[in-house]
Amino acid sequence: MEKKFHITTFGCQMNEHDSETIAGMLIERGYEQAGDRKDANIVIFNTCSVRENADKRFFGTLGQLKKKKMEEHENFTVCVCGCMMQQQHIIDTLKAKYPWVDIIFGTHNIHELPLLLDNLYNEKQKQLSVLQEGGEIVEGLPAKRLFKHKAFVNIMYGCNNFCTYCIVPYTRGRERSRKPEDILREIKELAADGVKEVMLLGQNVNSYKGISETGLGTCDFADLIHLIDEVEGIERIRFMTSHPKDLSDKLINTFKECKKLCHYFHLPVQAGSDIVLEQMNRKYTKEAYLKLIKKLREVDSDMAISTDIIVGFPGESEEDFEETLSLCREVRYDSAFTFLYSVREGTPAAKYDNQIPEDVKHERFNRLVDVINGISAEKNAEYVGKTEKVLVDGPSKTNSKTYGGRTETFKLVNFRGTPEMIGKVVKVRITASNTFSLQGEVISE
Ligand code: 5AD
Ligand code: SF4
């Protein structure tokens, strides 16, 4: 039987990278990756549970496969995995309403997929493997990267912060850091394979604590960046995501000390009101957050800064919301991911009885987006006339002569390019800007 798989990924970069690992494992075992879901006979959904609309989209898309499954039976395999599978009520719904799903596996069971597929085919029995807590970190899994020249690298898994709105600590488990030597080995291998940029991933990379067994000692996140900065072939280091409460002066100083560390910082604030921050269990105040931004800008006044903001958290008053607006005006973010608060079953905030009406949430959301977008456009306009080093990703989807790449500050730049430029750093003079991207002309390679 032909073994062609397709993965649909919902959610964050952690999920994107898990999907790269799933693809890597399957390709290693002779499966083929289909470019389109309709050409695959093994369909995999990697789900996200951070917000309710991701749940809904997943069930909607899954439902569309029922007809094909009923027609093709064992010639068509449906697998579901990711954060949603770590919730018992989702497993119950799948069993009751989607009993034709073949394999369900959790965020701690990714490495088992090849075995689960073998079992499914040999035993002709549906497979369920969901561990509630991650054990030992599984090292050495292959990954099929989206880009030849850049790679995601997990440095830690899980989260201990228990922000009251967030489901992640329940779906990804407690924090576990990889050993520094394992991370370094992976990055050296990536560099040897042509990777120039690494994106270090974790729910809270600032609380990375790697304990070496080969003499590197105990490494915090800043130490780890210093080690990666020495890896030959790597030109750019990025990371995602940070928690303000763990952002140390030592880490801020690595921006001065490590030449490959890109001057872009994603620092989720979530809200501007101290009352809301307290209710969210964020463990910092607006003032403390602003102090961190000041320190980052003291290192580099052009440091690009982005954030995540939730609008309409339970109990958020108009005054609280205005604190968020005033914080955004003060920080002047390069960009921000804005979210409507979404009730997540099992989190403390889901039980709060002062939920905000949908229309109020939407009205505040629109006002926030206007402020954020206005500032983004102004910030981007400051780039016009400057020359930027751009790592070229490839042609745009809509126009094969227009190429896209990122500046060190993570700005998307579009320009006229050629295939030879892909994966190289080129100098681009910025000629125009808009809210979400820049345009430019290549001046040299
Ligand atoms: N509702 C809305 N947004 C949320 N996020 C996390 N949980 C929720 C929720 N229940 C947002 C936060 C986080 C980002 C990844 O998703 O802003 O930083
Ligand atoms: Fe969720 Fe807070 Fe952990 Fe981020 S730090 S994953 S928002 S609990």
Side-chain angles (χ1 to χ4, degrees):
M1 187 181 84
E2 194 187 28
K3 297 198 290 188
K4 255 188 166 178
F5 71 91
H6 182 272
I7 310 174
T8 305
T9 310
F10 297 87
C12 66
Q13 278 115 336
M14 302 285 250
N15 264 19
E16 297 268 351
H17 187 44
D18 285 346
S19 291
E20 290 183 340
T21 305
I22 292 170
M25 288 188 304
L26 294 183
I27 290 167
E28 200 177 66
R29 282 165 180 79
Y31 293 78
E32 211 185 308
Q33 189 162 23
D36 197 300
R37 196 190 304 146
K38 65 177 179 337
D39 302 326
N41 60 351
I42 302 170
V43 169
I44 303 162
F45 287 106
N46 189 0
T47 63
C48 167
S49 52
V50 168
R51 284 171 299 276
E52 196 186 5
N53 54 1
D55 278 28
K56 284 194 186 140
R57 270 175 52 217
F58 161 63
F59 281 120
T61 325
L62 182 64
Q64 292 165 14
L65 296 184
K66 182 174 179 185
K67 187 165 169 275
K68 187 160 179 182
K69 179 70 194 173
M70 294 302 122
E71 285 164 8
E72 311 228 345
H73 304 286
E74 50 282 22
N75 294 331
F76 184 59
T77 306
V78 181
C79 314
V80 294
C81 63
C83 290
M84 282 175 74
M85 304 309 133
Q86 297 298 131
Q87 297 167 276
Q88 190 54 46
H89 69 99
I90 299 285
I91 306 277
D92 296 342
T93 305
L94 282 168
K95 283 186 175 163
K97 295 194 182 150
Y98 306 82
W100 40 269
V101 167
D102 297 292
I103 297 179
I104 300 175
F105 59 107
T107 56
H108 307 296
N109 307 81
I110 285 173
H111 58 284
E112 294 171 13
L113 179 61
L115 178 71
L116 295 172
L117 281 165
D118 288 348
N119 290 350
L120 173 79
Y121 299 137
N122 295 333
E123 300 165 8
K124 310 244 173 294
Q125 246 181 37
K126 305 211 174 293
Q127 303 289 314
L128 169 77
S129 186
V130 179
L131 264 182
Q132 275 318 314
E133 225 356 279
E136 284 270 297
I137 294 173
V138 182
E139 289 292 342
L141 297 178
K144 168 78 172 53
R145 293 195 303 276
L146 196 57
F147 292 100
K148 180 121 186 63
H149 57 279
K150 52 184 196 180
F152 291 129
V153 177
N154 270 124
I155 63 163
M156 50 139 19
Y157 301 89
C159 179
N160 290 352
N161 291 321
F162 290 93
C163 301
T164 55
Y165 50 82
C166 185
I167 196 81
V168 168
Y170 310 91
T171 61
R172 291 270 172 182
R174 296 293 66 71
E175 283 176 7
R176 285 150 294 140
S177 294
R178 287 177 72 192
K179 291 191 200 81
E181 56 266 32
D182 289 337
I183 298 171
L184 277 179
R185 186 188 343 100
E186 179 177 347
I187 294 180
K188 283 178 187 161
E189 283 169 12
L190 289 168
D193 194 38
V195 166
K196 290 189 176 156
E197 177 181 302
V198 285
M199 168 75 94
L200 309 176
L201 291 181
Q203 299 298 345
N204 181 12
V205 289
N206 303 159
S207 60
Y208 172 81
K209 198 169 189 234
I211 299 165
S212 167
E213 284 175 2
T214 58
L216 295 170
T218 303
C219 274
D220 64 16
F221 185 48
D223 299 328
L224 182 70
I225 293 176
H226 276 275
L227 291 171
I228 298 170
D229 204 46
E230 299 298 319
V231 177
E232 219 172 295
I234 297 299
E235 293 178 25
R236 289 180 168 191
I237 305 169
R238 301 187 187 283
F239 56 83
M240 179 89 86
T241 284
S242 302
H243 194 304
K245 80 172 167 51
D246 299 312
L247 175 46
S248 65
D249 289 347
K250 183 173 170 186
L251 179 60
I252 294 175
N253 281 330
T254 57
F255 283 95
K256 289 189 229 163
E257 296 153 357
C258 297
K259 54 191 180 307
K260 297 174 183 173
L261 186 59
C262 290
H263 286 197
Y264 165 71
F265 211 110
H266 181 68
L267 194 59
V269 69
Q270 312 297 1
S273 147
D274 288 346
I275 302 167
V276 174
L277 287 170
E278 164 105 46
Q279 291 291 310
M280 287 176 161
N281 190 31
R282 290 292 289 178
K283 303 190 180 86
Y284 54 84
T285 59
K286 181 184 189 185
E287 193 191 337
Y289 181 90
L290 288 171
K291 238 185 222 157
L292 293 173
I293 300 291
K294 186 160 170 269
K295 283 187 191 172
L296 287 169
R297 292 237 162 95
E298 274 164 13
V299 171
D300 176 2
S301 57
D302 292 329
M303 175 92 67
I305 297 175
S306 64
T307 199
D308 291 346
I309 299 173
I310 297 176
V311 175
F313 183 79
E316 182 190 69
S317 66
E318 174 60 24
E319 293 73 44
D320 291 326
F321 174 66
E322 280 166 18
E323 293 282 344
T324 300
L325 290 180
S326 87
L327 176 123
C328 291
R329 293 197 182 99
E330 192 162 343
V331 175
R332 294 183 60 73
Y333 289 108
D334 288 82
S335 61
F337 298 96
T338 46
F339 306 104
L340 288 165
Y341 169 71
S342 163
V343 175
R344 302 289 56 211
E345 208 176 296
T347 62
K351 295 188 210 79
Y352 294 176
D353 53 13
N354 44 3
Q355 303 288 332
I356 305 295
E358 286 302 311
D359 56 337
V360 177
K361 276 196 216 170
H362 279 92
E363 189 264 343
R364 288 182 188 161
F365 184 85
N366 293 341
R367 279 157 67 201
L368 177 65
V369 169
D370 283 348
V371 169
I372 294 284
N373 286 353
I375 295 167
S376 296
E378 284 170 18
K379 285 243 148 189
N380 282 349
E382 290 167 15
Y383 277 73
V384 176
K386 289 188 181 168
T387 298
E388 292 290 315
K389 286 187 196 148
V390 174
L391 178 59
V392 183
D393 287 334
S396 80
K397 285 197 188 87
T398 45
N399 180 344
S400 63
K401 288 200 179 110
T402 301
Y403 278 62
R406 298 272 175 177
T407 65
E408 286 173 352
T409 53
F410 206 54
K411 300 275 178 192
L412 174 63
V413 189
N414 292 308
F415 49 89
R416 242 182 131 79
T418 55
E420 306 78 62
M421 290 178 187
I422 298 174
K424 295 200 176 123
V425 175
V426 297
K427 281 192 182 157
V428 179
R429 203 172 55 85
I430 307 302
T431 52
S433 71
N434 52 42
T435 310
F436 302 111
S437 65
L438 306 172
Q439 280 141 51
E441 291 163 357
V442 175
I443 55 176
S444 77
E445 267 190 48

